[in-house]
Amino acid sequence: VKGSSFLESLSKTDTVVFDKTGTLTEGRFEVSRVHSVGMAEDELLETAAQAESVSNHPISKSIIEAHTSGFDASTVESAEEIPGKGVRAVVRGRTVHVGNHRLMNDIGAEYCHEEVAGTNVHVAVDGRYMGHIVVSDVVKSDAAEAVATLKAIGVRRTVMLSGDSARICTDVGGRLGIDDIRYELLPADKTEALERVMEDTPENRTVAYVGDGINDAPSLARADVGIAMGGLGSDAAIEAADVVIMDDAPSKIPTCIDLSKRVNRIVMQNIVFALAVKFGLLALTLFGFT
């Protein structure tokens, strides 16, 4: 905890806003399915891995790791990340787009949906849809306990913000008992959503934001109290946060809030006791008993 003022603010927590990936979920993605419509599955996975080689996003890393035979990085002539959408790369003279449905809409590629749980990573080559890769994440074992405990200690509302699809977010949020689920958000949208939540929060009450990634840094700085996952969290998130959870366990969030309430109770007890002693001595002094 980076300062006593944040302990005081935490004791007044009304709403806790969560990022999803890496905060409520493990953030360790695995490719669970490859669905190809325009090329062989191995080729689809290799093409996606080549394009994703420029990205440090956990989903990108999972696709690269899934292509176990490796690839020649020199075949990637140029590449760039498109925030909140995916990547664009030129591989062997072909323009490859790998990302979510927004990216496919931008290039006018007709894409198909996978009904199984997971994140759909779509692949298009020269504007033609080639298939998608399903990447799955796992909910942290103590996430549901954390949300339930928060409500038990007096937190009025829990909110989850994510860039993932409605289906994935609704599934995760429903299992965890999140009150308000907001999905398909770009990084800038998260901060705007947080500000709307803060506007809806009663005066003199606190909104805490919990996140772990670079994209969460603005929201961590904007919230009344920013809480970062310090184990796998980015340096930017840790720097921007007011509280850092060193083992990435969501269950430490209610623990921290409960500790802040205990600290504030002890502070008030000390003040009351000190004033009582002073007034007692003053009264004794007036009557000559000191």
Side-chain angles (χ1 to χ4, degrees), residues 190-216:
K190 286 187 178 182
T191 306
E192 292 177 5
L194 172 64
E195 290 177 344
R196 288 195 293 271
V197 170
M198 295 176 72
E199 290 171 0
D200 295 338
T201 302
E203 194 172 348
N204 297 323
R205 299 288 287 171
T206 297
V207 174
Y209 182 89
V210 191
D212 72 308
I214 293 175
N215 291 339
D216 295 312

PDB file of all heavy atoms in Angstrom, residues 190-216:
ATOM      1  N   LYS A 190     -12.548   1.757 -21.536  1.00  0.00           N
ATOM      2  CA  LYS A 190     -12.517   1.316 -20.133  1.00  0.00           C
ATOM      3  C   LYS A 190     -12.475   2.513 -19.192  1.00  0.00           C
ATOM      4  O   LYS A 190     -13.182   2.548 -18.180  1.00  0.00           O
ATOM      5  CB  LYS A 190     -11.307   0.406 -19.883  1.00  0.00           C
ATOM      6  CG  LYS A 190     -11.441  -0.987 -20.461  1.00  0.00           C
ATOM      7  CD  LYS A 190     -10.276  -1.858 -20.028  1.00  0.00           C
ATOM      8  CE  LYS A 190     -10.413  -3.276 -20.550  1.00  0.00           C
ATOM      9  NZ  LYS A 190      -9.297  -4.141 -20.081  1.00  0.00           N
ATOM     10  N   THR A 191     -11.639   3.494 -19.528  1.00  0.00           N
ATOM     11  CA  THR A 191     -11.536   4.677 -18.672  1.00  0.00           C
ATOM     12  C   THR A 191     -12.840   5.456 -18.672  1.00  0.00           C
ATOM     13  O   THR A 191     -13.289   5.945 -17.625  1.00  0.00           O
ATOM     14  CB  THR A 191     -10.376   5.572 -19.143  1.00  0.00           C
ATOM     15  OG1 THR A 191      -9.175   4.795 -19.219  1.00  0.00           O
ATOM     16  CG2 THR A 191     -10.151   6.713 -18.172  1.00  0.00           C
ATOM     17  N   GLU A 192     -13.479   5.568 -19.823  1.00  0.00           N
ATOM     18  CA  GLU A 192     -14.765   6.263 -19.904  1.00  0.00           C
ATOM     19  C   GLU A 192     -15.831   5.525 -19.083  1.00  0.00           C
ATOM     20  O   GLU A 192     -16.635   6.152 -18.389  1.00  0.00           O
ATOM     21  CB  GLU A 192     -15.208   6.385 -21.354  1.00  0.00           C
ATOM     22  CG  GLU A 192     -14.332   7.309 -22.195  1.00  0.00           C
ATOM     23  CD  GLU A 192     -14.768   7.358 -23.648  1.00  0.00           C
ATOM     24  OE1 GLU A 192     -15.809   6.751 -23.976  1.00  0.00           O
ATOM     25  OE2 GLU A 192     -14.066   8.000 -24.461  1.00  0.00           O
ATOM     26  N   ALA A 193     -15.830   4.184 -19.174  1.00  0.00           N
ATOM     27  CA  ALA A 193     -16.785   3.396 -18.400  1.00  0.00           C
ATOM     28  C   ALA A 193     -16.536   3.571 -16.905  1.00  0.00           C
ATOM     29  O   ALA A 193     -17.483   3.677 -16.114  1.00  0.00           O
ATOM     30  CB  ALA A 193     -16.678   1.925 -18.790  1.00  0.00           C
ATOM     31  N   LEU A 194     -15.265   3.595 -16.515  1.00  0.00           N
ATOM     32  CA  LEU A 194     -14.920   3.812 -15.105  1.00  0.00           C
ATOM     33  C   LEU A 194     -15.422   5.167 -14.623  1.00  0.00           C
ATOM     34  O   LEU A 194     -15.982   5.275 -13.517  1.00  0.00           O
ATOM     35  CB  LEU A 194     -13.412   3.701 -14.919  1.00  0.00           C
ATOM     36  CG  LEU A 194     -12.864   4.089 -13.539  1.00  0.00           C
ATOM     37  CD1 LEU A 194     -13.398   3.143 -12.474  1.00  0.00           C
ATOM     38  CD2 LEU A 194     -11.340   4.086 -13.546  1.00  0.00           C
ATOM     39  N   GLU A 195     -15.266   6.187 -15.443  1.00  0.00           N
ATOM     40  CA  GLU A 195     -15.724   7.522 -15.049  1.00  0.00           C
ATOM     41  C   GLU A 195     -17.240   7.557 -14.871  1.00  0.00           C
ATOM     42  O   GLU A 195     -17.750   8.220 -13.966  1.00  0.00           O
ATOM     43  CB  GLU A 195     -15.269   8.552 -16.090  1.00  0.00           C
ATOM     44  CG  GLU A 195     -13.763   8.792 -16.063  1.00  0.00           C
ATOM     45  CD  GLU A 195     -13.303   9.755 -17.143  1.00  0.00           C
ATOM     46  OE1 GLU A 195     -14.091  10.002 -18.085  1.00  0.00           O
ATOM     47  OE2 GLU A 195     -12.171  10.251 -17.040  1.00  0.00           O
ATOM     48  N   ARG A 196     -17.967   6.828 -15.725  1.00  0.00           N
ATOM     49  CA  ARG A 196     -19.431   6.769 -15.569  1.00  0.00           C
ATOM     50  C   ARG A 196     -19.804   6.062 -14.273  1.00  0.00           C
ATOM     51  O   ARG A 196     -20.752   6.458 -13.587  1.00  0.00           O
ATOM     52  CB  ARG A 196     -20.060   6.068 -16.774  1.00  0.00           C
ATOM     53  CG  ARG A 196     -20.034   6.901 -18.061  1.00  0.00           C
ATOM     54  CD  ARG A 196     -20.958   6.339 -19.114  1.00  0.00           C
ATOM     55  NE  ARG A 196     -20.497   5.049 -19.599  1.00  0.00           N
ATOM     56  CZ  ARG A 196     -19.667   4.892 -20.619  1.00  0.00           C
ATOM     57  NH1 ARG A 196     -19.203   5.952 -21.260  1.00  0.00           N
ATOM     58  NH2 ARG A 196     -19.297   3.687 -21.015  1.00  0.00           N
ATOM     59  N   VAL A 197     -19.058   5.008 -13.939  1.00  0.00           N
ATOM     60  CA  VAL A 197     -19.305   4.311 -12.674  1.00  0.00           C
ATOM     61  C   VAL A 197     -19.055   5.249 -11.501  1.00  0.00           C
ATOM     62  O   VAL A 197     -19.830   5.281 -10.525  1.00  0.00           O
ATOM     63  CB  VAL A 197     -18.403   3.058 -12.564  1.00  0.00           C
ATOM     64  CG1 VAL A 197     -18.471   2.471 -11.156  1.00  0.00           C
ATOM     65  CG2 VAL A 197     -18.815   2.002 -13.590  1.00  0.00           C
ATOM     66  N   MET A 198     -17.981   6.040 -11.579  1.00  0.00           N
ATOM     67  CA  MET A 198     -17.657   6.968 -10.496  1.00  0.00           C
ATOM     68  C   MET A 198     -18.723   8.044 -10.345  1.00  0.00           C
ATOM     69  O   MET A 198     -19.029   8.484  -9.225  1.00  0.00           O
ATOM     70  CB  MET A 198     -16.283   7.597 -10.747  1.00  0.00           C
ATOM     71  CG  MET A 198     -15.135   6.582 -10.696  1.00  0.00           C
ATOM     72  SD  MET A 198     -13.510   7.271 -11.108  1.00  0.00           S
ATOM     73  CE  MET A 198     -13.182   8.265  -9.650  1.00  0.00           C
ATOM     74  N   GLU A 199     -19.308   8.461 -11.471  1.00  0.00           N
ATOM     75  CA  GLU A 199     -20.386   9.455 -11.414  1.00  0.00           C
ATOM     76  C   GLU A 199     -21.618   8.894 -10.711  1.00  0.00           C
ATOM     77  O   GLU A 199     -22.362   9.642 -10.071  1.00  0.00           O
ATOM     78  CB  GLU A 199     -20.751   9.919 -12.827  1.00  0.00           C
ATOM     79  CG  GLU A 199     -19.678  10.767 -13.494  1.00  0.00           C
ATOM     80  CD  GLU A 199     -19.972  11.028 -14.958  1.00  0.00           C
ATOM     81  OE1 GLU A 199     -21.027  10.534 -15.441  1.00  0.00           O
ATOM     82  OE2 GLU A 199     -19.181  11.717 -15.618  1.00  0.00           O
ATOM     83  N   ASP A 200     -21.835   7.584 -10.846  1.00  0.00           N
ATOM     84  CA  ASP A 200     -23.011   6.942 -10.234  1.00  0.00           C
ATOM     85  C   ASP A 200     -22.782   6.559  -8.779  1.00  0.00           C
ATOM     86  O   ASP A 200     -23.698   6.034  -8.127  1.00  0.00           O
ATOM     87  CB  ASP A 200     -23.384   5.680 -11.023  1.00  0.00           C
ATOM     88  CG  ASP A 200     -23.831   6.000 -12.443  1.00  0.00           C
ATOM     89  OD1 ASP A 200     -24.250   7.155 -12.670  1.00  0.00           O
ATOM     90  OD2 ASP A 200     -23.742   5.105 -13.311  1.00  0.00           O
ATOM     91  N   THR A 201     -21.581   6.787  -8.276  1.00  0.00           N
ATOM     92  CA  THR A 201     -21.241   6.378  -6.907  1.00  0.00           C
ATOM     93  C   THR A 201     -21.590   7.495  -5.924  1.00  0.00           C
ATOM     94  O   THR A 201     -21.329   8.673  -6.207  1.00  0.00           O
ATOM     95  CB  THR A 201     -19.735   6.057  -6.809  1.00  0.00           C
ATOM     96  OG1 THR A 201     -19.425   5.025  -7.757  1.00  0.00           O
ATOM     97  CG2 THR A 201     -19.368   5.579  -5.420  1.00  0.00           C
ATOM     98  N   PRO A 202     -22.190   7.150  -4.787  1.00  0.00           N
ATOM     99  CA  PRO A 202     -22.538   8.184  -3.796  1.00  0.00           C
ATOM    100  C   PRO A 202     -21.338   9.016  -3.378  1.00  0.00           C
ATOM    101  O   PRO A 202     -20.205   8.524  -3.343  1.00  0.00           O
ATOM    102  CB  PRO A 202     -23.076   7.348  -2.618  1.00  0.00           C
ATOM    103  CG  PRO A 202     -23.537   6.068  -3.230  1.00  0.00           C
ATOM    104  CD  PRO A 202     -22.611   5.805  -4.366  1.00  0.00           C
ATOM    105  N   GLU A 203     -21.595  10.269  -3.055  1.00  0.00           N
ATOM    106  CA  GLU A 203     -20.524  11.169  -2.629  1.00  0.00           C
ATOM    107  C   GLU A 203     -19.895  10.658  -1.338  1.00  0.00           C
ATOM    108  O   GLU A 203     -20.564  10.063  -0.493  1.00  0.00           O
ATOM    109  CB  GLU A 203     -21.100  12.575  -2.419  1.00  0.00           C
ATOM    110  CG  GLU A 203     -20.052  13.658  -2.310  1.00  0.00           C
ATOM    111  CD  GLU A 203     -20.660  15.048  -2.303  1.00  0.00           C
ATOM    112  OE1 GLU A 203     -21.862  15.156  -2.609  1.00  0.00           O
ATOM    113  OE2 GLU A 203     -19.924  15.988  -1.993  1.00  0.00           O
ATOM    114  N   ASN A 204     -18.605  10.873  -1.201  1.00  0.00           N
ATOM    115  CA  ASN A 204     -17.820  10.423  -0.040  1.00  0.00           C
ATOM    116  C   ASN A 204     -17.658   8.914   0.013  1.00  0.00           C
ATOM    117  O   ASN A 204     -17.270   8.358   1.045  1.00  0.00           O
ATOM    118  CB  ASN A 204     -18.438  10.909   1.279  1.00  0.00           C
ATOM    119  CG  ASN A 204     -18.446  12.423   1.369  1.00  0.00           C
ATOM    120  OD1 ASN A 204     -17.512  13.080   0.912  1.00  0.00           O
ATOM    121  ND2 ASN A 204     -19.514  12.970   1.933  1.00  0.00           N
ATOM    122  N   ARG A 205     -17.966   8.235  -1.088  1.00  0.00           N
ATOM    123  CA  ARG A 205     -17.699   6.804  -1.190  1.00  0.00           C
ATOM    124  C   ARG A 205     -16.655   6.572  -2.277  1.00  0.00           C
ATOM    125  O   ARG A 205     -16.449   7.412  -3.148  1.00  0.00           O
ATOM    126  CB  ARG A 205     -18.977   6.022  -1.500  1.00  0.00           C
ATOM    127  CG  ARG A 205     -20.053   6.170  -0.430  1.00  0.00           C
ATOM    128  CD  ARG A 205     -19.689   5.429   0.829  1.00  0.00           C
ATOM    129  NE  ARG A 205     -19.826   3.989   0.645  1.00  0.00           N
ATOM    130  CZ  ARG A 205     -19.413   3.079   1.533  1.00  0.00           C
ATOM    131  NH1 ARG A 205     -18.804   3.467   2.624  1.00  0.00           N
ATOM    132  NH2 ARG A 205     -19.589   1.800   1.300  1.00  0.00           N
ATOM    133  N   THR A 206     -15.990   5.434  -2.235  1.00  0.00           N
ATOM    134  CA  THR A 206     -14.806   5.193  -3.059  1.00  0.00           C
ATOM    135  C   THR A 206     -15.068   4.157  -4.141  1.00  0.00           C
ATOM    136  O   THR A 206     -15.786   3.180  -3.914  1.00  0.00           O
ATOM    137  CB  THR A 206     -13.646   4.710  -2.161  1.00  0.00           C
ATOM    138  OG1 THR A 206     -13.318   5.748  -1.242  1.00  0.00           O
ATOM    139  CG2 THR A 206     -12.413   4.360  -2.975  1.00  0.00           C
ATOM    140  N   VAL A 207     -14.449   4.373  -5.319  1.00  0.00           N
ATOM    141  CA  VAL A 207     -14.441   3.390  -6.397  1.00  0.00           C
ATOM    142  C   VAL A 207     -13.017   2.861  -6.543  1.00  0.00           C
ATOM    143  O   VAL A 207     -12.071   3.635  -6.738  1.00  0.00           O
ATOM    144  CB  VAL A 207     -14.911   3.992  -7.729  1.00  0.00           C
ATOM    145  CG1 VAL A 207     -14.760   2.973  -8.863  1.00  0.00           C
ATOM    146  CG2 VAL A 207     -16.362   4.453  -7.625  1.00  0.00           C
ATOM    147  N   ALA A 208     -12.856   1.547  -6.445  1.00  0.00           N
ATOM    148  CA  ALA A 208     -11.547   0.916  -6.623  1.00  0.00           C
ATOM    149  C   ALA A 208     -11.522   0.215  -7.975  1.00  0.00           C
ATOM    150  O   ALA A 208     -12.505  -0.426  -8.367  1.00  0.00           O
ATOM    151  CB  ALA A 208     -11.275  -0.088  -5.503  1.00  0.00           C
ATOM    152  N   TYR A 209     -10.413   0.353  -8.677  1.00  0.00           N
ATOM    153  CA  TYR A 209     -10.245  -0.330  -9.964  1.00  0.00           C
ATOM    154  C   TYR A 209      -9.119  -1.338  -9.823  1.00  0.00           C
ATOM    155  O   TYR A 209      -8.047  -1.023  -9.305  1.00  0.00           O
ATOM    156  CB  TYR A 209      -9.910   0.666 -11.075  1.00  0.00           C
ATOM    157  CG  TYR A 209      -9.778   0.022 -12.444  1.00  0.00           C
ATOM    158  CD1 TYR A 209     -10.888  -0.114 -13.276  1.00  0.00           C
ATOM    159  CD2 TYR A 209      -8.551  -0.474 -12.893  1.00  0.00           C
ATOM    160  CE1 TYR A 209     -10.782  -0.719 -14.523  1.00  0.00           C
ATOM    161  CE2 TYR A 209      -8.435  -1.078 -14.144  1.00  0.00           C
ATOM    162  CZ  TYR A 209      -9.544  -1.199 -14.951  1.00  0.00           C
ATOM    163  OH  TYR A 209      -9.428  -1.806 -16.173  1.00  0.00           O
ATOM    164  N   VAL A 210      -9.360  -2.565 -10.324  1.00  0.00           N
ATOM    165  CA  VAL A 210      -8.370  -3.635 -10.222  1.00  0.00           C
ATOM    166  C   VAL A 210      -7.970  -4.071 -11.622  1.00  0.00           C
ATOM    167  O   VAL A 210      -8.818  -4.451 -12.432  1.00  0.00           O
ATOM    168  CB  VAL A 210      -8.936  -4.848  -9.448  1.00  0.00           C
ATOM    169  CG1 VAL A 210      -7.818  -5.832  -9.119  1.00  0.00           C
ATOM    170  CG2 VAL A 210      -9.645  -4.408  -8.173  1.00  0.00           C
ATOM    171  N   GLY A 211      -6.671  -4.017 -11.937  1.00  0.00           N
ATOM    172  CA  GLY A 211      -6.202  -4.402 -13.260  1.00  0.00           C
ATOM    173  C   GLY A 211      -4.759  -4.857 -13.229  1.00  0.00           C
ATOM    174  O   GLY A 211      -4.101  -4.821 -12.184  1.00  0.00           O
ATOM    175  N   ASP A 212      -4.268  -5.278 -14.402  1.00  0.00           N
ATOM    176  CA  ASP A 212      -2.896  -5.802 -14.435  1.00  0.00           C
ATOM    177  C   ASP A 212      -2.096  -5.380 -15.661  1.00  0.00           C
ATOM    178  O   ASP A 212      -0.876  -5.541 -15.680  1.00  0.00           O
ATOM    179  CB  ASP A 212      -2.927  -7.338 -14.383  1.00  0.00           C
ATOM    180  CG  ASP A 212      -3.422  -7.939 -15.697  1.00  0.00           C
ATOM    181  OD1 ASP A 212      -4.495  -7.526 -16.174  1.00  0.00           O
ATOM    182  OD2 ASP A 212      -2.746  -8.813 -16.242  1.00  0.00           O
ATOM    183  N   GLY A 213      -2.739  -4.869 -16.704  1.00  0.00           N
ATOM    184  CA  GLY A 213      -2.042  -4.641 -17.966  1.00  0.00           C
ATOM    185  C   GLY A 213      -1.694  -3.188 -18.222  1.00  0.00           C
ATOM    186  O   GLY A 213      -2.114  -2.283 -17.490  1.00  0.00           O
ATOM    187  N   ILE A 214      -0.916  -2.973 -19.278  1.00  0.00           N
ATOM    188  CA  ILE A 214      -0.560  -1.614 -19.692  1.00  0.00           C
ATOM    189  C   ILE A 214      -1.819  -0.804 -19.985  1.00  0.00           C
ATOM    190  O   ILE A 214      -1.924   0.373 -19.630  1.00  0.00           O
ATOM    191  CB  ILE A 214       0.353  -1.658 -20.935  1.00  0.00           C
ATOM    192  CG1 ILE A 214       1.704  -2.279 -20.574  1.00  0.00           C
ATOM    193  CG2 ILE A 214       0.553  -0.262 -21.510  1.00  0.00           C
ATOM    194  CD1 ILE A 214       2.619  -2.480 -21.766  1.00  0.00           C
ATOM    195  N   ASN A 215      -2.794  -1.441 -20.625  1.00  0.00           N
ATOM    196  CA  ASN A 215      -4.039  -0.744 -20.972  1.00  0.00           C
ATOM    197  C   ASN A 215      -4.830  -0.325 -19.738  1.00  0.00           C
ATOM    198  O   ASN A 215      -5.715   0.539 -19.830  1.00  0.00           O
ATOM    199  CB  ASN A 215      -4.919  -1.634 -21.853  1.00  0.00           C
ATOM    200  CG  ASN A 215      -4.328  -1.835 -23.235  1.00  0.00           C
ATOM    201  OD1 ASN A 215      -3.507  -1.047 -23.676  1.00  0.00           O
ATOM    202  ND2 ASN A 215      -4.730  -2.891 -23.904  1.00  0.00           N
ATOM    203  N   ASP A 216      -4.546  -0.953 -18.589  1.00  0.00           N
ATOM    204  CA  ASP A 216      -5.274  -0.620 -17.358  1.00  0.00           C
ATOM    205  C   ASP A 216      -4.659   0.559 -16.623  1.00  0.00           C
ATOM    206  O   ASP A 216      -5.285   1.099 -15.702  1.00  0.00           O
ATOM    207  CB  ASP A 216      -5.300  -1.833 -16.416  1.00  0.00           C
ATOM    208  CG  ASP A 216      -6.077  -3.002 -16.991  1.00  0.00           C
ATOM    209  OD1 ASP A 216      -7.195  -2.771 -17.475  1.00  0.00           O
ATOM    210  OD2 ASP A 216      -5.572  -4.137 -16.956  1.00  0.00           O
TER     211      ASP A 216
END
